[in-house]
Amino acid sequence: MTPSLDELNRAPLPQALALLDGLYEHSPWVAERALAQRPFATLAALHQAMVQAVRQATPEEQLALIRAHPELAGKAMVAGTLTAASADEQTRAGLTHCTPEEFERLHALNAAYRARLGHPFILAVRGPDGRGLTRHDILAALQRRLDQPADEERAECLRQIHRIAELRLSERFGQPPRLGLRVWDALQALAQHSESPWAEAGQLTVTYLSAAHQACAHTLQTWMQQAGCDEVAIDAVGNVVGRYHGVRPDAPRLLLGSHYDTVRNAGRYDGRLGIVLAIEVVRELRALGQRLPFALELVAFAEEEGQRFPVTFLGSSALAGTFDPAWLDVRDANGVTLRAAMQQAGLPGTMPAIAALRRDPGQYLGYLEVHIEQGPVLARAELPLGVVSAINASLRAHGCFEGLACHAGTTPMTARRDALLGLAELALAVERCARQQPGSVGTVGVAQVDGGSINVVPGRCTFTLDLRAPSDPQCDELARQVWAEAEAIAQRRGLRLQLQPTLRAAAAPGDAALRARWRRAVQRLGLPVLELPSGAGHDAMMLHRILPQAMLFVRGEHLGISHHPLESSTAHDIDLAAQALLQLLRDWAEELA
Ligand code: HGY
Ligand code: MN
Ligand code: MN
């Protein structure tokens, strides 16, 4: 018989404890301390209470909790003495079917891990969707974490223990992350569209208007139609736009969206999560026959990452009315202009068609974007969701140092104008300048010696700059310092410098009223509310120019690593984000009813 939360809230302590038995291996004290917080509004609130009970425990109790967990494919599994839950989890992950080589490697890695860290390696082997990691994933995780700093590893083991408890809890109380699993599965499906040569390597790269990009657009168009959007179309810049009408045809619209292009060798969640989550929310409303006093307008923005062309936010700039006509003439690495790329993809590629996409702010209530955090704050706080206070200001530039290519063997060190050394000095100067101000970051992400050869002094070096800071003045000051450094280096080394800004996105504070709506929705889920800044740029920065906007962050696994194949969020966290959006929409609808 599946217990209910209400039953747990009302049961005498011994019965309540029995309902939570085994969630934390051989450690009933966690549930016992959490139960002091009864009643719980939601299962997520109960889980959070257990997380907090561990966070407030002594280091000795935390270490004992870690040590109470079994090794993976360890002695207990072999001896058949695992708890039922651990046995089930290790079986689902295939650990009972290791090849002799896998078993030997796991055994050796476990031994090395325990020898170094003094406790077992803990991993929620059911993985982000709860259906089970592969043995390859498990071995890779153990290998990857073997050399982590001890304190970081202990924190990660506790995060994994809370993930194990979360999976056990939702199963025991019959509350699977239904919406989250639908989003999670869709993200894996969407990731099948990738471009060469990354696709052949099993990696994800989808840059603006490539064949893979166009395949993503058609897939999203189909999904929006199937979910119940009343109108769906691909617009003049490749945005996929779906509308779920409100109760009245002239109802105001609420814009929801994110981007579906990716960086190279990307993760599967950046941008796309916010699109697919909005689609699943529409599907949920449609299935319940619910219409809102406002229309939902879903936008899958076609380009946000600036990977193919040296311009970015093409999709959201079109809606904000800030698409620069000069962008149509910028060229990609193959010399193809943006205009030609658009026309080759069947898009008009003309400013009148693009300018027509500008949204009339008077028709909109605002813009909401759900996005992975792409950082470690929520993971370290052990919270699934966070409300974005503001998006940092950012500046991007493309540059080139030009010296003199010459013979590496005959040219004395005192007679060189080495372009690469100029860039090397600049990269270190960027780091030094950015470190001087809290919250500032600076990156030289792309650096290449044009036509370089092993025995030629680099004559020409092209590079990119990415500078960011919590405020516009701080970002501008960082840029001023970096430009001054670049010019001084060029002067000193006899190099010619070109350094051209390609993007300047102003800091975008979240709209106070919309942030309050996100906060209330998260609270209604029974979760603590954490507000945090975004170091990453988002389409919301462009919509910020014409509409009130606010974002919700979803925790990332692996300390929120992003722009990397390890990027990941769990179906449970994604489900909570979808529930938060639904809650926000319903609260708003109630106010307007
Ligand atoms: O670079 C960024 O901040 C974003 O992921 N495009
Ligand atoms: Mn990104
Ligand atoms: Mn993004």
Side-chain angles (χ1 to χ4, degrees):
M1 167 74 169
T2 304
S4 72
L5 196 60
D6 185 43
E7 191 182 334
L8 177 93
N9 281 330
R10 287 185 296 112
L13 185 57
Q15 280 84 320
L17 265 176
L19 289 175
L20 304 181
D21 181 48
L23 294 182
Y24 286 81
E25 289 277 294
H26 309 302
S27 308
W29 61 267
V30 177
E32 188 162 8
R33 291 184 196 175
L35 285 170
Q37 309 301 319
R38 284 192 290 177
F40 300 110
T42 62
L43 220 50
L46 164 56
H47 183 246
Q48 261 307 311
M50 292 191 282
V51 168
Q52 294 312 318
V54 173
R55 285 172 74 88
Q56 288 149 22
T58 63
E60 294 71 28
E61 288 174 316
Q62 292 173 347
L63 186 55
L65 173 61
I66 294 173
R67 285 178 172 152
H69 283 70
E71 272 183 357
L72 298 178
K75 297 188 191 75
M77 187 192 81
V78 175
T81 56
L82 287 174
T83 61
S86 283
D88 169 57
E89 286 149 3
Q90 295 208 21
T91 303
R92 283 196 217 202
L95 289 172
T96 46
H97 293 79
C98 287
T99 63
E101 297 74 23
E102 286 170 335
F103 189 76
E104 191 187 331
R105 186 137 174 270
L106 251 178
H107 189 69
L109 286 170
N110 270 328
Y113 183 96
R114 182 184 283 276
R116 181 171 173 270
L117 292 147
H119 57 73
F121 168 76
I122 310 289
L123 177 67
V125 293
R126 286 180 57 188
D129 60 336
R131 299 166 182 136
L133 293 171
T134 64
R135 290 193 296 272
H136 173 270
D137 295 336
I138 292 166
L139 281 161
L142 181 39
Q143 184 70 60
R144 186 173 63 245
R145 287 172 44 191
L146 187 56
D147 307 322
Q148 287 269 46
D151 58 343
E152 200 60 81
E153 235 339 89
R154 187 176 294 195
E156 184 60 29
C157 284
L158 291 173
R159 284 191 284 268
Q160 293 295 326
I161 286 169
H162 292 312
R163 173 66 182 146
I164 292 165
E166 177 179 56
L167 285 158
R168 293 176 179 178
L169 184 66
S170 67
E171 200 149 85
R172 186 166 303 175
F173 280 76
Q175 293 188 26
R178 191 172 48 84
L179 283 180
L181 276 170
R182 288 197 332 227
V183 172
W184 196 88
D185 288 340
L187 291 172
Q188 312 321 309
L190 195 60
Q192 299 322 302
H193 303 307
S194 182
E195 53 203 65
S196 291
W198 293 275
E200 289 74 11
Q203 296 170 351
L204 175 62
T205 299
V206 175
T207 57
Y208 189 50
L209 296 180
S210 66
H213 184 271
Q214 295 180 52
C216 287
H218 292 116
T219 298
L220 291 168
Q221 184 178 26
T222 304
W223 287 353
M224 286 185 187
Q225 286 157 344
Q226 290 170 343
C229 286
D230 303 292
E231 308 165 56
V232 184
I234 296 176
D235 73 14
V237 294
N239 298 324
V240 186
V241 183
R243 286 205 184 102
Y244 183 66
H245 293 163
V247 285
R248 296 194 330 270
D250 62 344
R253 295 170 191 166
L254 180 63
L255 201 58
L256 306 170
S258 197
H259 61 95
Y260 64 92
D261 67 319
T262 73
V263 295
R264 296 179 177 91
N265 192 11
R268 299 182 168 194
Y269 302 74
D270 177 1
R272 284 121 181 264
L273 183 145
I275 298 168
V276 177
L277 185 142
I279 292 173
E280 289 309 322
V281 160
V282 167
R283 193 192 313 274
E284 191 73 1
L285 291 170
R286 183 72 183 229
L288 297 168
Q290 287 178 350
R291 291 282 173 176
L292 306 169
F294 43 84
L296 296 181
E297 183 173 294
L298 279 54
V299 186
F301 291 112
E303 197 289 335
E304 187 267 3
E305 298 285 7
Q307 297 296 299
R308 177 177 176 186
F309 292 95
V311 287
T312 185
F313 293 119
L314 296 179
S316 44
S317 296
L319 267 66
T322 55
F323 191 103
D324 182 340
W327 291 351
L328 287 171
D329 297 309
V330 297
R331 294 178 184 275
D332 68 8
N334 299 319
V336 177
T337 63
L338 178 58
R339 176 186 292 104
M342 286 176 152
Q343 289 166 351
Q344 284 160 17
L347 302 175
T350 64
M351 261 326 286
I354 294 166
L357 301 180
R358 184 186 185 288
R359 290 317 194 256
D360 166 8
Q363 290 183 326
Y364 290 81
L365 296 171
Y367 173 71
L368 298 177
E369 182 168 356
V370 178
H371 200 288
I372 53 170
E373 177 200 342
Q374 299 180 297
V377 174
L378 293 176
R380 289 195 200 287
E382 298 188 75
L383 290 174
L385 305 177
V387 178
V388 176
S389 52
I391 306 168
N392 283 0
S394 68
L395 177 143
R396 293 186 187 181
H398 282 235
C400 170
F401 276 112
E402 199 140 13
L404 181 65
C406 52
H407 198 296
T410 57
T411 313
M413 292 309 287
T414 52
R416 297 180 175 206
R417 289 190 285 136
D418 185 327
L420 179 59
L421 294 182
L423 178 54
E425 269 201 73
L426 178 60
L428 292 172
V430 167
E431 180 190 35
R432 188 174 64 251
C433 296
R435 279 176 181 270
Q436 282 163 0
Q437 290 295 327
S440 288
V441 289
T443 312
V444 174
V446 176
Q448 65 189 34
V449 176
D450 294 352
S453 301
I454 186 167
N455 56 353
V456 177
V457 175
R460 178 182 158 85
C461 231
T462 50
F463 61 93
T464 61
L465 272 186
D466 179 319
L467 307 175
R468 311 196 196 193
S471 72
D472 290 314
Q474 191 173 322
C475 188
D476 292 338
E477 174 54 18
L478 176 59
R480 190 196 60 73
Q481 289 174 14
V482 167
W483 255 257
E485 291 277 356
E487 278 146 15
I489 291 164
Q491 181 75 28
R492 199 166 48 246
R493 289 182 172 272
L495 304 173
R496 270 192 307 283
L497 168 70
Q498 293 166 32
L499 191 47
Q500 190 59 37
T502 54
L503 165 78
R504 177 65 178 88
D511 173 75
L514 291 181
R515 279 164 45 203
R517 291 187 183 281
W518 276 128
R519 281 200 304 272
R520 181 159 174 248
V522 172
Q523 281 161 346
R524 296 280 294 267
L525 296 182
L527 292 170
V529 178
L530 177 71
E531 287 216 321
L532 69 163
S534 172
H538 300 287
D539 290 302
M541 301 171 92
M542 295 303 114
L543 278 305
H544 181 80
R545 296 173 177 180
I546 61 164
L547 294 175
Q549 56 78 19
M551 294 183 70
L552 181 72
F553 271 171
V554 184
R555 170 174 50 187
E557 294 194 292
H558 316 304
L559 283 178
I561 189 170
S562 180
H563 285 185
H564 185 283
L566 268 179
E567 183 184 281
S568 173
S569 279
T570 68
H572 279 77
D573 286 357
I574 296 170
D575 189 80
L576 286 168
Q579 299 298 345
L581 179 55
L582 272 169
Q583 186 65 58
L584 181 152
L585 297 175
R586 287 172 174 148
D587 287 349
W588 206 338
E590 218 172 279
E591 274 173 42
L592 295 175

